[in-house]
Amino acid sequence: MRALLLFLDGIGLGDDDPNLNPFAAARLPTLNALSGGHKWLRTTPRLDSGRAVFIPTDAQLGVAGRPQSATGQAAILTGRNVPAEIGEHYGPYPNEAVRAILAEGNLHTHLSARGLRTARLDAHPPHYLAELERGKRLRTAMQHAAYVANVPLPSLDDLKACRALSADFLGDGWRTVLKLSDVPVHTPIQAGALLAELTRRYHFSLFSTWITDEIGHHRDLGRAIAFLERFDAVLAGLLDAWDDSEGVIVITSDHGNLEDLSHRKHTHNAVPSVIIGAARHQIADQISALTDIAPALLSLFG
Ligand SMILES: [Zn+2]
């Protein structure tokens, strides 16, 4: 059994409005096939499309306020109602209380303790890793969960050696934004196939991208559509290379944002969770909120 958690920060289920919601406007054949031909919108119900179960997932967790990254990510990785425990939705970076909860146990530490191999598969730029190391930059909740489990964040070397992918999936941002001319740039099909291959080296892999949330905060519909269409094409490559009997792919998010570009804030919307693979039948019924994902994945590993 293996599991890949494919985490897209800040995507929720919004209205069928192509002027405000890139999930309504973009051409997303792979995503929409996973949800039975429906777009990923608030009107799309829980359903099994034959290869995946699509689950509108509660990110509010009974706590007032707009869901935030630190508590949402910590809920996903620990299975605990972290916003309820600390009394608020908190983010973007975890405070002392959230860090303590992550250190008490998260998917990485629980699975490592069972002798299973866990990894992050998204590479981080050299200056970013150096700033984390020096304490000049705070770790996100996802990064802190890996840190307390001694799971390294992949580096530029890992990206170059195709042991990790870029948060933009293809790697072109490392050339255009970071001005690193010698990193590999993949086609979407290649990136998806590489993700499948890397996942086979571990029992549990986590690929996280922050770009969806960043685009939401900037309210850039054109960029949002382009990035979702890129994700769709990468997912097509991943699903081509993925054998449904080998494990599960879980796509999820921590809170809404990108699906409502009428404002720059997070939303109260449910987020999409999609469970792909034959073993989806063992866990999908357990999942209706962010806190259900970690227990479901742990149960898969016995
Ligand atoms: Zn977030």
Side-chain angles (χ1 to χ4, degrees):
M1 178 59 61
R2 61 178 56 87
L4 167 63
L5 181 56
L6 200 44
F7 173 78
L8 282 78
D9 201 303
I11 63 166
L13 298 172
D15 293 328
D16 190 8
D17 182 345
N19 294 312
L20 294 176
N21 184 355
F23 287 95
R27 197 183 154 275
L28 304 170
T30 310
L31 268 66
N32 297 347
L34 292 172
S35 46
H38 301 270
K39 295 176 182 176
W40 291 17
L41 302 172
R42 76 168 80 254
T43 47
T44 301
R46 175 189 291 259
L47 58 86
D48 191 316
S49 59
R51 191 169 186 187
V53 178
F54 179 88
I55 304 169
T57 306
D58 173 43
Q60 197 70 51
L61 301 176
V63 175
R66 293 181 189 273
Q68 299 297 329
S69 290
T71 41
Q73 293 173 21
I76 292 168
L77 290 180
T78 65
R80 291 165 62 170
N81 190 334
V82 180
E85 287 191 39
I86 74 162
E88 62 179 331
H89 294 287
Y90 191 85
Y93 298 100
N95 59 13
E96 189 79 47
V98 175
R99 288 199 299 271
I101 289 168
L102 288 164
E104 284 168 18
N106 65 71
L107 276 172
H108 290 295
T109 62
H110 290 313
L111 293 170
S112 297
R114 298 182 191 181
L116 303 176
R117 293 188 306 280
T118 88
R120 282 286 291 253
L121 297 181
D122 48 309
H124 296 64
H127 71 273
Y128 185 99
L129 291 176
E131 287 169 15
L132 283 183
E133 198 63 38
R134 290 204 310 273
K136 293 277 185 193
R137 182 187 282 275
L138 295 171
R139 287 182 178 81
T140 66
M142 289 254 163
Q143 289 167 346
H144 194 73
Y147 176 73
V148 298
N150 292 314
V151 171
L153 297 178
S155 66
L156 175 61
D157 285 346
D158 294 314
L159 186 71
K160 286 183 179 173
C162 294
R163 292 187 297 259
L165 286 102
S166 165
D168 68 9
F169 295 106
L170 307 187
D172 50 326
W174 291 64
R175 292 193 182 183
T176 57
V177 180
L178 300 175
K179 308 296 181 197
L180 296 165
S181 58
D182 54 347
V183 299
V185 175
H186 304 290
T187 66
I189 294 294
Q190 287 169 340
L194 177 59
L195 195 51
E197 182 196 320
L198 293 176
T199 299
R200 295 193 179 101
R201 300 180 187 181
Y202 308 100
H203 296 95
F204 172 67
S205 308
L206 171 53
F207 178 92
S208 168
T209 183
W210 47 272
I211 293 175
T212 33
D213 190 53
E214 193 238 12
I215 295 172
H217 285 307
H218 285 91
R219 299 182 57 205
D220 188 335
L221 181 63
R223 211 177 141 217
I225 291 169
F227 191 75
L228 289 179
E229 291 183 348
R230 168 183 293 220
F231 173 57
D232 190 273
V234 171
L235 196 57
L238 171 62
L239 294 177
D240 270 353
W242 182 264
D243 177 347
D244 279 358
S245 68
E246 64 187 313
V248 294
I249 300 169
V250 176
I251 303 169
T252 196
S253 186
D254 49 354
H255 52 76
N257 179 357
L258 188 69
E259 79 284 3
D260 182 357
L261 297 178
S262 67
H263 59 75
R264 294 176 187 278
K265 298 173 186 168
H266 295 172
T267 70
H268 300 281
N269 290 331
V271 301
S273 292
V274 178
I275 321 293
I276 302 159
R280 71 187 184 278
H281 298 297
Q282 295 174 43
I283 58 170
D285 287 352
Q286 304 171 38
I287 299 173
S288 61
L290 292 188
T291 45
D292 301 325
I293 292 169
L297 285 173
L298 288 171
S299 74
L300 266 188
F301 290 98

